[in-house]
Amino acid sequence: DGHTAFRMASVSKTFAGVLTAILVEKGYLNWEDKVVQHVPGFKLKDSLTTQSLEVRHLLSHTTGLPRHAYSNLLNAGIPYREILSMLSEVTIFHPPGDTYNYQNVAFSVIGDVLQSVMGKSYSELLKEYIFLPLGMADASTDYEAFISSNNIAHPHQRRYGSYRERKISPNYFDVGPAAGVNASLDDMIKYM
C-alpha cells in the first residue's frame, strides 16, 4: 500500500544532496569547503587531491577516484570505516571536479562532513531537516528500523525463469548517504 517501505538504494543520494543544500543555504557550510576542513583524517593517495577535494566534488561524483572505488568491498560486508581508510591506496585518475565517476564509498564521506559541521549524526540530520518537516512517517535510515517494520517490500531477483525473494542485506546501510534511506510511496510523494 502507500505506506509500504522500500529500500531507496541509490535514490538515497538525492537526500544527501538536498540535505547538504539546505545546510549550505542556512550558512553552515559552503559547496567549496575542503573536505579535510571538516574531516581532518580523510586521506586519498595523492596529498594534493586530498587537500583540494571539495564538498561539491563528493556530491557530483567528481572526486578523481575510479568508478565504484571499493563498492565491491561494501558488497562483501566490509564496514565503511575500514573501506574509507583504504581510499588512500587507490590511484587518482583525474583532478577533482574534472571527470564523473560514480561512487558509493567516497560519496558517503558527505555524511562525515555534515556530522562534523552540525555535531549530529547523518540520520539525525535527515530526520530533523527532511523527514519530520515533510511528514515522512514511514522513512528511516537503518537496517534494523527497516526489517522490524511489518510493512516493507522485500527485494526479488529473477532466477531460473521466475522472481524469487532475496534476503535483505545490511551492507549498504553502512553508507547512509549513498544507499541508506528507506521510504514509502507516501513519503516519496511528500519528498518530491
Side-chain angles (χ1 to χ4, degrees):
D1 61 28
H3 293 282
T4 302
F6 290 79
R7 288 196 59 213
M8 294 290 102
S10 286
V11 173
S12 301
K13 290 176 176 72
T14 68
F15 287 86
V18 169
L19 176 59
T20 304
I22 290 168
L23 299 178
V24 166
E25 186 175 89
K26 291 182 176 293
Y28 292 112
L29 74 160
N30 294 297
W31 297 112
E32 296 78 19
D33 282 1
K34 306 297 186 213
V35 172
V36 292
Q37 173 186 341
H38 302 294
V39 187
F42 180 74
K43 186 178 176 185
L44 295 172
K45 190 170 188 173
D46 175 319
S47 63
L48 182 60
T49 302
T50 300
Q51 295 304 314
S52 63
L53 191 68
E54 299 175 358
V55 166
R56 64 190 175 113
H57 299 138
L58 296 174
L59 293 169
S60 64
H61 300 277
T62 59
T63 60
L65 292 165
R67 184 175 183 273
H68 275 296
Y70 289 144
S71 287
N72 62 321
L73 299 179
L74 285 171
N75 292 335
I78 308 240
Y80 165 71
R81 291 279 162 225
E82 282 183 44
I83 300 169
L84 186 60
S85 67
M86 292 182 219
L87 287 180
S88 64
E89 302 165 13
V90 180
T91 300
I92 302 299
F93 283 5
H94 309 281
D98 185 62
T99 303
Y100 173 88
N101 276 311
Y102 193 82
Q103 301 292 321
N104 284 306
V105 177
F107 184 93
S108 292
V109 174
I110 193 62
D112 300 323
V113 169
L114 299 181
Q115 181 171 337
S116 173
V117 168
M118 301 300 291
K120 296 179 182 179
S121 73
Y122 179 74
S123 292
E124 290 172 311
L125 293 169
L126 276 181
K127 288 174 190 162
E128 180 178 342
Y129 288 95
I130 297 178
F131 297 168
L132 291 175
L134 294 179
M136 295 176 67
D138 306 312
S140 64
T141 57
D142 62 272
Y143 175 75
E144 290 76 21
F146 185 63
I147 62 167
S148 67
S149 173
N150 60 2
N151 191 5
I152 61 173
H154 292 268
H156 287 72
Q157 181 178 27
R158 187 170 173 84
R159 298 186 90 172
Y160 310 112
S162 66
Y163 287 93
R164 298 174 192 255
E165 189 173 309
R166 291 188 60 210
K167 181 182 171 202
I168 298 168
S169 171
N171 298 352
Y172 275 81
F173 286 101
D174 204 21
V175 284
V181 173
N182 313 304
S184 66
L185 176 61
D186 184 69
D187 290 331
M188 293 305 287
I189 290 169
K190 292 172 180 173
Y191 176 62
M192 294 307 293

PDB file of all heavy atoms in Angstrom, residues 36-65:
ATOM      1  N   VAL A  36      38.785  18.051   3.968  1.00  0.00           N
ATOM      2  CA  VAL A  36      39.680  17.914   5.125  1.00  0.00           C
ATOM      3  C   VAL A  36      39.482  19.017   6.154  1.00  0.00           C
ATOM      4  O   VAL A  36      39.883  18.861   7.302  1.00  0.00           O
ATOM      5  CB  VAL A  36      41.172  17.836   4.709  1.00  0.00           C
ATOM      6  CG1 VAL A  36      41.451  16.544   3.959  1.00  0.00           C
ATOM      7  CG2 VAL A  36      41.598  19.046   3.917  1.00  0.00           C
ATOM      8  N   GLN A  37      38.838  20.103   5.759  1.00  0.00           N
ATOM      9  CA  GLN A  37      38.495  21.168   6.711  1.00  0.00           C
ATOM     10  C   GLN A  37      37.533  20.619   7.765  1.00  0.00           C
ATOM     11  O   GLN A  37      37.600  21.006   8.931  1.00  0.00           O
ATOM     12  CB  GLN A  37      37.859  22.324   5.948  1.00  0.00           C
ATOM     13  CG  GLN A  37      37.286  23.444   6.769  1.00  0.00           C
ATOM     14  CD  GLN A  37      36.563  24.465   5.889  1.00  0.00           C
ATOM     15  OE1 GLN A  37      36.759  24.538   4.681  1.00  0.00           O
ATOM     16  NE2 GLN A  37      35.693  25.246   6.511  1.00  0.00           N
ATOM     17  N   HIS A  38      36.651  19.730   7.371  1.00  0.00           N
ATOM     18  CA  HIS A  38      35.645  19.166   8.265  1.00  0.00           C
ATOM     19  C   HIS A  38      35.962  17.741   8.714  1.00  0.00           C
ATOM     20  O   HIS A  38      35.501  17.309   9.771  1.00  0.00           O
ATOM     21  CB  HIS A  38      34.274  19.197   7.585  1.00  0.00           C
ATOM     22  CG  HIS A  38      33.860  20.572   7.184  1.00  0.00           C
ATOM     23  ND1 HIS A  38      33.594  21.571   8.104  1.00  0.00           N
ATOM     24  CD2 HIS A  38      33.672  21.137   5.961  1.00  0.00           C
ATOM     25  CE1 HIS A  38      33.261  22.677   7.467  1.00  0.00           C
ATOM     26  NE2 HIS A  38      33.301  22.445   6.168  1.00  0.00           N
ATOM     27  N   VAL A  39      36.731  17.015   7.924  1.00  0.00           N
ATOM     28  CA  VAL A  39      37.123  15.640   8.256  1.00  0.00           C
ATOM     29  C   VAL A  39      38.647  15.560   8.115  1.00  0.00           C
ATOM     30  O   VAL A  39      39.176  15.078   7.107  1.00  0.00           O
ATOM     31  CB  VAL A  39      36.421  14.612   7.323  1.00  0.00           C
ATOM     32  CG1 VAL A  39      36.703  13.186   7.786  1.00  0.00           C
ATOM     33  CG2 VAL A  39      34.927  14.861   7.244  1.00  0.00           C
ATOM     34  N   PRO A  40      39.376  16.059   9.124  1.00  0.00           N
ATOM     35  CA  PRO A  40      40.837  16.163   9.014  1.00  0.00           C
ATOM     36  C   PRO A  40      41.552  14.848   8.742  1.00  0.00           C
ATOM     37  O   PRO A  40      42.618  14.834   8.134  1.00  0.00           O
ATOM     38  CB  PRO A  40      41.259  16.738  10.371  1.00  0.00           C
ATOM     39  CG  PRO A  40      40.038  17.340  10.953  1.00  0.00           C
ATOM     40  CD  PRO A  40      38.873  16.601  10.382  1.00  0.00           C
ATOM     41  N   GLY A  41      40.989  13.721   9.144  1.00  0.00           N
ATOM     42  CA  GLY A  41      41.635  12.435   8.927  1.00  0.00           C
ATOM     43  C   GLY A  41      41.421  11.845   7.542  1.00  0.00           C
ATOM     44  O   GLY A  41      42.009  10.821   7.215  1.00  0.00           O
ATOM     45  N   PHE A  42      40.607  12.493   6.736  1.00  0.00           N
ATOM     46  CA  PHE A  42      40.325  11.983   5.400  1.00  0.00           C
ATOM     47  C   PHE A  42      41.586  12.056   4.551  1.00  0.00           C
ATOM     48  O   PHE A  42      42.279  13.059   4.539  1.00  0.00           O
ATOM     49  CB  PHE A  42      39.210  12.786   4.737  1.00  0.00           C
ATOM     50  CG  PHE A  42      38.866  12.319   3.353  1.00  0.00           C
ATOM     51  CD1 PHE A  42      38.161  11.142   3.159  1.00  0.00           C
ATOM     52  CD2 PHE A  42      39.268  13.040   2.246  1.00  0.00           C
ATOM     53  CE1 PHE A  42      37.855  10.702   1.889  1.00  0.00           C
ATOM     54  CE2 PHE A  42      38.961  12.606   0.958  1.00  0.00           C
ATOM     55  CZ  PHE A  42      38.249  11.431   0.784  1.00  0.00           C
ATOM     56  N   LYS A  43      41.873  10.951   3.840  1.00  0.00           N
ATOM     57  CA  LYS A  43      43.112  10.911   3.066  1.00  0.00           C
ATOM     58  C   LYS A  43      42.935  10.094   1.795  1.00  0.00           C
ATOM     59  O   LYS A  43      42.423   8.981   1.824  1.00  0.00           O
ATOM     60  CB  LYS A  43      44.221  10.295   3.921  1.00  0.00           C
ATOM     61  CG  LYS A  43      45.577  10.324   3.290  1.00  0.00           C
ATOM     62  CD  LYS A  43      46.614   9.747   4.231  1.00  0.00           C
ATOM     63  CE  LYS A  43      47.963   9.697   3.537  1.00  0.00           C
ATOM     64  NZ  LYS A  43      48.970   9.040   4.354  1.00  0.00           N
ATOM     65  N   LEU A  44      43.367  10.674   0.691  1.00  0.00           N
ATOM     66  CA  LEU A  44      43.455   9.967  -0.584  1.00  0.00           C
ATOM     67  C   LEU A  44      44.921   9.698  -0.878  1.00  0.00           C
ATOM     68  O   LEU A  44      45.803  10.184  -0.163  1.00  0.00           O
ATOM     69  CB  LEU A  44      42.799  10.793  -1.695  1.00  0.00           C
ATOM     70  CG  LEU A  44      41.295  11.007  -1.548  1.00  0.00           C
ATOM     71  CD1 LEU A  44      40.783  11.991  -2.590  1.00  0.00           C
ATOM     72  CD2 LEU A  44      40.546   9.683  -1.648  1.00  0.00           C
ATOM     73  N   LYS A  45      45.205   8.957  -1.929  1.00  0.00           N
ATOM     74  CA  LYS A  45      46.581   8.570  -2.247  1.00  0.00           C
ATOM     75  C   LYS A  45      47.467   9.773  -2.537  1.00  0.00           C
ATOM     76  O   LYS A  45      48.633   9.809  -2.173  1.00  0.00           O
ATOM     77  CB  LYS A  45      46.580   7.608  -3.436  1.00  0.00           C
ATOM     78  CG  LYS A  45      47.926   6.971  -3.693  1.00  0.00           C
ATOM     79  CD  LYS A  45      47.819   5.854  -4.705  1.00  0.00           C
ATOM     80  CE  LYS A  45      49.134   5.114  -4.787  1.00  0.00           C
ATOM     81  NZ  LYS A  45      49.016   3.929  -5.645  1.00  0.00           N
ATOM     82  N   ASP A  46      46.909  10.752  -3.190  1.00  0.00           N
ATOM     83  CA  ASP A  46      47.645  11.949  -3.595  1.00  0.00           C
ATOM     84  C   ASP A  46      47.321  13.081  -2.616  1.00  0.00           C
ATOM     85  O   ASP A  46      46.165  13.455  -2.460  1.00  0.00           O
ATOM     86  CB  ASP A  46      47.193  12.284  -5.022  1.00  0.00           C
ATOM     87  CG  ASP A  46      47.753  13.561  -5.571  1.00  0.00           C
ATOM     88  OD1 ASP A  46      47.833  14.554  -4.828  1.00  0.00           O
ATOM     89  OD2 ASP A  46      48.082  13.577  -6.766  1.00  0.00           O
ATOM     90  N   SER A  47      48.336  13.621  -1.952  1.00  0.00           N
ATOM     91  CA  SER A  47      48.084  14.666  -0.947  1.00  0.00           C
ATOM     92  C   SER A  47      47.512  15.937  -1.565  1.00  0.00           C
ATOM     93  O   SER A  47      46.705  16.623  -0.940  1.00  0.00           O
ATOM     94  CB  SER A  47      49.356  14.982  -0.167  1.00  0.00           C
ATOM     95  OG  SER A  47      50.349  15.496  -1.025  1.00  0.00           O
ATOM     96  N   LEU A  48      47.873  16.257  -2.787  1.00  0.00           N
ATOM     97  CA  LEU A  48      47.319  17.432  -3.463  1.00  0.00           C
ATOM     98  C   LEU A  48      45.817  17.259  -3.676  1.00  0.00           C
ATOM     99  O   LEU A  48      45.026  18.173  -3.432  1.00  0.00           O
ATOM    100  CB  LEU A  48      48.025  17.676  -4.803  1.00  0.00           C
ATOM    101  CG  LEU A  48      47.574  18.907  -5.592  1.00  0.00           C
ATOM    102  CD1 LEU A  48      47.805  20.179  -4.790  1.00  0.00           C
ATOM    103  CD2 LEU A  48      48.303  18.977  -6.918  1.00  0.00           C
ATOM    104  N   THR A  49      45.405  16.070  -4.108  1.00  0.00           N
ATOM    105  CA  THR A  49      43.980  15.788  -4.286  1.00  0.00           C
ATOM    106  C   THR A  49      43.267  15.826  -2.945  1.00  0.00           C
ATOM    107  O   THR A  49      42.175  16.393  -2.829  1.00  0.00           O
ATOM    108  CB  THR A  49      43.775  14.416  -4.962  1.00  0.00           C
ATOM    109  OG1 THR A  49      44.453  14.410  -6.217  1.00  0.00           O
ATOM    110  CG2 THR A  49      42.306  14.118  -5.183  1.00  0.00           C
ATOM    111  N   THR A  50      43.860  15.238  -1.924  1.00  0.00           N
ATOM    112  CA  THR A  50      43.264  15.251  -0.586  1.00  0.00           C
ATOM    113  C   THR A  50      42.991  16.685  -0.155  1.00  0.00           C
ATOM    114  O   THR A  50      41.906  16.998   0.331  1.00  0.00           O
ATOM    115  CB  THR A  50      44.194  14.565   0.442  1.00  0.00           C
ATOM    116  OG1 THR A  50      44.407  13.213   0.043  1.00  0.00           O
ATOM    117  CG2 THR A  50      43.605  14.598   1.832  1.00  0.00           C
ATOM    118  N   GLN A  51      43.963  17.564  -0.336  1.00  0.00           N
ATOM    119  CA  GLN A  51      43.833  18.954   0.114  1.00  0.00           C
ATOM    120  C   GLN A  51      42.875  19.782  -0.744  1.00  0.00           C
ATOM    121  O   GLN A  51      42.319  20.768  -0.276  1.00  0.00           O
ATOM    122  CB  GLN A  51      45.206  19.629   0.158  1.00  0.00           C
ATOM    123  CG  GLN A  51      46.150  19.023   1.173  1.00  0.00           C
ATOM    124  CD  GLN A  51      45.589  19.018   2.583  1.00  0.00           C
ATOM    125  OE1 GLN A  51      45.042  20.002   3.059  1.00  0.00           O
ATOM    126  NE2 GLN A  51      45.700  17.886   3.257  1.00  0.00           N
ATOM    127  N   SER A  52      42.673  19.393  -1.992  1.00  0.00           N
ATOM    128  CA  SER A  52      41.832  20.206  -2.881  1.00  0.00           C
ATOM    129  C   SER A  52      40.411  19.675  -3.040  1.00  0.00           C
ATOM    130  O   SER A  52      39.557  20.354  -3.599  1.00  0.00           O
ATOM    131  CB  SER A  52      42.484  20.332  -4.264  1.00  0.00           C
ATOM    132  OG  SER A  52      42.604  19.073  -4.879  1.00  0.00           O
ATOM    133  N   LEU A  53      40.117  18.484  -2.516  1.00  0.00           N
ATOM    134  CA  LEU A  53      38.784  17.893  -2.658  1.00  0.00           C
ATOM    135  C   LEU A  53      37.757  18.718  -1.895  1.00  0.00           C
ATOM    136  O   LEU A  53      37.927  19.011  -0.712  1.00  0.00           O
ATOM    137  CB  LEU A  53      38.794  16.453  -2.145  1.00  0.00           C
ATOM    138  CG  LEU A  53      37.555  15.636  -2.474  1.00  0.00           C
ATOM    139  CD1 LEU A  53      37.475  15.362  -3.978  1.00  0.00           C
ATOM    140  CD2 LEU A  53      37.564  14.326  -1.700  1.00  0.00           C
ATOM    141  N   GLU A  54      36.689  19.099  -2.592  1.00  0.00           N
ATOM    142  CA  GLU A  54      35.640  19.951  -2.023  1.00  0.00           C
ATOM    143  C   GLU A  54      34.338  19.174  -1.827  1.00  0.00           C
ATOM    144  O   GLU A  54      34.120  18.130  -2.449  1.00  0.00           O
ATOM    145  CB  GLU A  54      35.386  21.153  -2.945  1.00  0.00           C
ATOM    146  CG  GLU A  54      36.609  22.030  -3.114  1.00  0.00           C
ATOM    147  CD  GLU A  54      36.409  23.160  -4.123  1.00  0.00           C
ATOM    148  OE1 GLU A  54      35.324  23.260  -4.743  1.00  0.00           O
ATOM    149  OE2 GLU A  54      37.372  23.938  -4.288  1.00  0.00           O
ATOM    150  N   VAL A  55      33.462  19.724  -0.993  1.00  0.00           N
ATOM    151  CA  VAL A  55      32.147  19.143  -0.734  1.00  0.00           C
ATOM    152  C   VAL A  55      31.419  18.864  -2.043  1.00  0.00           C
ATOM    153  O   VAL A  55      30.865  17.786  -2.246  1.00  0.00           O
ATOM    154  CB  VAL A  55      31.318  20.082   0.178  1.00  0.00           C
ATOM    155  CG1 VAL A  55      29.848  19.700   0.200  1.00  0.00           C
ATOM    156  CG2 VAL A  55      31.905  20.106   1.591  1.00  0.00           C
ATOM    157  N   ARG A  56      31.429  19.791  -2.957  1.00  0.00           N
ATOM    158  CA  ARG A  56      30.714  19.630  -4.230  1.00  0.00           C
ATOM    159  C   ARG A  56      31.259  18.471  -5.055  1.00  0.00           C
ATOM    160  O   ARG A  56      30.528  17.831  -5.799  1.00  0.00           O
ATOM    161  CB  ARG A  56      30.757  20.925  -5.039  1.00  0.00           C
ATOM    162  CG  ARG A  56      32.144  21.339  -5.470  1.00  0.00           C
ATOM    163  CD  ARG A  56      32.147  22.751  -6.062  1.00  0.00           C
ATOM    164  NE  ARG A  56      33.501  23.163  -6.347  1.00  0.00           N
ATOM    165  CZ  ARG A  56      33.964  23.362  -7.572  1.00  0.00           C
ATOM    166  NH1 ARG A  56      33.173  23.204  -8.614  1.00  0.00           N
ATOM    167  NH2 ARG A  56      35.204  23.741  -7.746  1.00  0.00           N
ATOM    168  N   HIS A  57      32.534  18.135  -4.895  1.00  0.00           N
ATOM    169  CA  HIS A  57      33.116  17.006  -5.626  1.00  0.00           C
ATOM    170  C   HIS A  57      32.564  15.669  -5.124  1.00  0.00           C
ATOM    171  O   HIS A  57      32.373  14.740  -5.910  1.00  0.00           O
ATOM    172  CB  HIS A  57      34.640  17.013  -5.520  1.00  0.00           C
ATOM    173  CG  HIS A  57      35.272  18.234  -6.085  1.00  0.00           C
ATOM    174  ND1 HIS A  57      36.309  18.880  -5.456  1.00  0.00           N
ATOM    175  CD2 HIS A  57      35.003  18.951  -7.201  1.00  0.00           C
ATOM    176  CE1 HIS A  57      36.664  19.944  -6.172  1.00  0.00           C
ATOM    177  NE2 HIS A  57      35.875  19.997  -7.230  1.00  0.00           N
ATOM    178  N   LEU A  58      32.332  15.574  -3.811  1.00  0.00           N
ATOM    179  CA  LEU A  58      31.746  14.347  -3.261  1.00  0.00           C
ATOM    180  C   LEU A  58      30.370  14.101  -3.873  1.00  0.00           C
ATOM    181  O   LEU A  58      30.066  12.997  -4.323  1.00  0.00           O
ATOM    182  CB  LEU A  58      31.598  14.450  -1.738  1.00  0.00           C
ATOM    183  CG  LEU A  58      32.864  14.583  -0.905  1.00  0.00           C
ATOM    184  CD1 LEU A  58      32.499  14.827   0.556  1.00  0.00           C
ATOM    185  CD2 LEU A  58      33.753  13.360  -1.050  1.00  0.00           C
ATOM    186  N   LEU A  59      29.545  15.141  -3.874  1.00  0.00           N
ATOM    187  CA  LEU A  59      28.153  15.000  -4.301  1.00  0.00           C
ATOM    188  C   LEU A  59      27.980  14.910  -5.813  1.00  0.00           C
ATOM    189  O   LEU A  59      26.949  14.429  -6.288  1.00  0.00           O
ATOM    190  CB  LEU A  59      27.320  16.159  -3.747  1.00  0.00           C
ATOM    191  CG  LEU A  59      27.169  16.148  -2.228  1.00  0.00           C
ATOM    192  CD1 LEU A  59      26.567  17.448  -1.732  1.00  0.00           C
ATOM    193  CD2 LEU A  59      26.355  14.954  -1.765  1.00  0.00           C
ATOM    194  N   SER A  60      28.965  15.346  -6.562  1.00  0.00           N
ATOM    195  CA  SER A  60      28.868  15.290  -8.030  1.00  0.00           C
ATOM    196  C   SER A  60      29.666  14.123  -8.615  1.00  0.00           C
ATOM    197  O   SER A  60      29.807  14.021  -9.828  1.00  0.00           O
ATOM    198  CB  SER A  60      29.342  16.610  -8.646  1.00  0.00           C
ATOM    199  OG  SER A  60      30.716  16.825  -8.360  1.00  0.00           O
ATOM    200  N   HIS A  61      30.176  13.254  -7.749  1.00  0.00           N
ATOM    201  CA  HIS A  61      30.944  12.079  -8.191  1.00  0.00           C
ATOM    202  C   HIS A  61      32.158  12.489  -9.029  1.00  0.00           C
ATOM    203  O   HIS A  61      32.518  11.831  -9.998  1.00  0.00           O
ATOM    204  CB  HIS A  61      30.075  11.110  -8.994  1.00  0.00           C
ATOM    205  CG  HIS A  61      28.892  10.575  -8.249  1.00  0.00           C
ATOM    206  ND1 HIS A  61      28.975   9.512  -7.395  1.00  0.00           N
ATOM    207  CD2 HIS A  61      27.600  10.967  -8.236  1.00  0.00           C
ATOM    208  CE1 HIS A  61      27.778   9.264  -6.888  1.00  0.00           C
ATOM    209  NE2 HIS A  61      26.936  10.143  -7.380  1.00  0.00           N
ATOM    210  N   THR A  62      32.797  13.587  -8.639  1.00  0.00           N
ATOM    211  CA  THR A  62      33.977  14.058  -9.368  1.00  0.00           C
ATOM    212  C   THR A  62      35.187  14.143  -8.434  1.00  0.00           C
ATOM    213  O   THR A  62      35.917  15.126  -8.422  1.00  0.00           O
ATOM    214  CB  THR A  62      33.706  15.425 -10.039  1.00  0.00           C
ATOM    215  OG1 THR A  62      33.346  16.385  -9.029  1.00  0.00           O
ATOM    216  CG2 THR A  62      32.610  15.340 -11.083  1.00  0.00           C
ATOM    217  N   THR A  63      35.390  13.093  -7.657  1.00  0.00           N
ATOM    218  CA  THR A  63      36.485  13.064  -6.685  1.00  0.00           C
ATOM    219  C   THR A  63      37.841  12.783  -7.317  1.00  0.00           C
ATOM    220  O   THR A  63      38.863  13.009  -6.690  1.00  0.00           O
ATOM    221  CB  THR A  63      36.234  11.973  -5.627  1.00  0.00           C
ATOM    222  OG1 THR A  63      36.147  10.702  -6.293  1.00  0.00           O
ATOM    223  CG2 THR A  63      34.965  12.249  -4.829  1.00  0.00           C
ATOM    224  N   GLY A  64      37.845  12.231  -8.531  1.00  0.00           N
ATOM    225  CA  GLY A  64      39.080  11.810  -9.169  1.00  0.00           C
ATOM    226  C   GLY A  64      39.341  10.321  -9.017  1.00  0.00           C
ATOM    227  O   GLY A  64      40.242   9.772  -9.647  1.00  0.00           O
ATOM    228  N   LEU A  65      38.553   9.665  -8.176  1.00  0.00           N
ATOM    229  CA  LEU A  65      38.689   8.221  -7.985  1.00  0.00           C
ATOM    230  C   LEU A  65      38.063   7.475  -9.160  1.00  0.00           C
ATOM    231  O   LEU A  65      37.158   7.987  -9.818  1.00  0.00           O
ATOM    232  CB  LEU A  65      37.987   7.800  -6.687  1.00  0.00           C
ATOM    233  CG  LEU A  65      38.641   8.289  -5.401  1.00  0.00           C
ATOM    234  CD1 LEU A  65      37.688   8.143  -4.234  1.00  0.00           C
ATOM    235  CD2 LEU A  65      39.927   7.513  -5.140  1.00  0.00           C
TER     236      LEU A  65
END
